[in-house]
Amino acid sequence: MENCIFCKILKGQILAHKVYETDNVFVFLDINPYTRGHSLVIPKKHYQDVFDISSDELQKLIVEVQKVAKLLKEKLNAEAINIFQRNGIMAGQQIDHIHFHVVPRYKEDMVKMLPRGVYKGNDFEEVVQLLTS
């Protein structure tokens, strides 16, 4: 995509700090990290989001995400790893190129992810009914 920041990174038009690369994926440090080592895993082919990518390509991508998670955990001595991915503006997606955030977690890093909500009244039953009917 012509105006995609991540596609420009792949073309070398924008600087990124690469940490891992294969024929199909490029991994680089997030410029606004939650923690030290926070990396973005992107496919080299442009897909907007999880709805745009084929199941086969998504499977290949998640295997690479797992490799990056293991790499970050081992090399940076992380206690744990958060992996997340956003789809659409309302979900917080800022770049229209599918990507996974791999965030090393450390004792006392003080990072708070998204706030949590609660189900009210018959919400549990209604949601289950909608999803299983």
Side-chain angles (χ1 to χ4, degrees):
M1 289 296 267
E2 187 174 308
N3 292 320
C4 174
I5 291 171
F6 289 170
C7 289
K8 289 179 180 182
I9 287 172
L10 291 169
K11 292 176 185 172
Q13 297 170 345
I14 296 176
L15 176 67
H17 293 90
K18 177 176 79 169
V19 296
Y20 178 81
E21 183 175 15
T22 69
D23 290 341
N24 299 314
V25 301
F26 188 77
V27 182
F28 55 99
L29 295 177
D30 192 308
I31 61 170
N32 295 304
Y34 282 109
T35 64
R36 182 173 181 262
H38 176 175
S39 298
L40 301 177
V41 180
I42 66 170
K44 289 186 174 178
K45 185 174 178 190
H46 182 91
Y47 301 101
Q48 181 171 325
D49 54 29
V50 75
F51 306 109
D52 188 37
I53 191 170
S54 72
S55 296
D56 288 342
E57 290 299 313
L58 185 57
Q59 287 174 4
K60 292 175 191 173
L61 183 57
I62 198 67
V63 167
E64 297 301 333
V65 168
Q66 182 185 42
K67 289 177 187 176
V68 171
K70 288 178 179 180
L71 176 73
L72 295 175
K73 189 171 190 300
E74 177 189 335
K75 298 287 187 176
L76 298 178
N77 296 314
E79 296 288 322
I81 299 285
N82 279 114
I83 297 171
F84 64 95
Q85 193 272 324
R86 298 173 172 155
N87 299 282
I89 292 170
M90 289 299 298
Q93 184 178 8
Q94 296 177 328
I95 309 295
D96 285 339
H97 187 124
I98 190 171
H99 56 286
F100 282 82
H101 294 258
V102 184
V103 183
R105 299 303 303 271
Y106 307 97
K107 274 187 178 155
E108 323 232 353
D109 65 24
M110 305 297 287
V111 171
K112 298 274 188 218
M113 298 311 262
L114 297 174
R116 299 177 73 160
V118 295
Y119 282 101
K120 296 177 183 157
N122 294 328
D123 284 350
F124 274 118
E125 291 79 10
E126 183 180 323
V127 170
V128 168
Q129 179 63 34
L130 288 169
L131 295 176
T132 59
S133 60

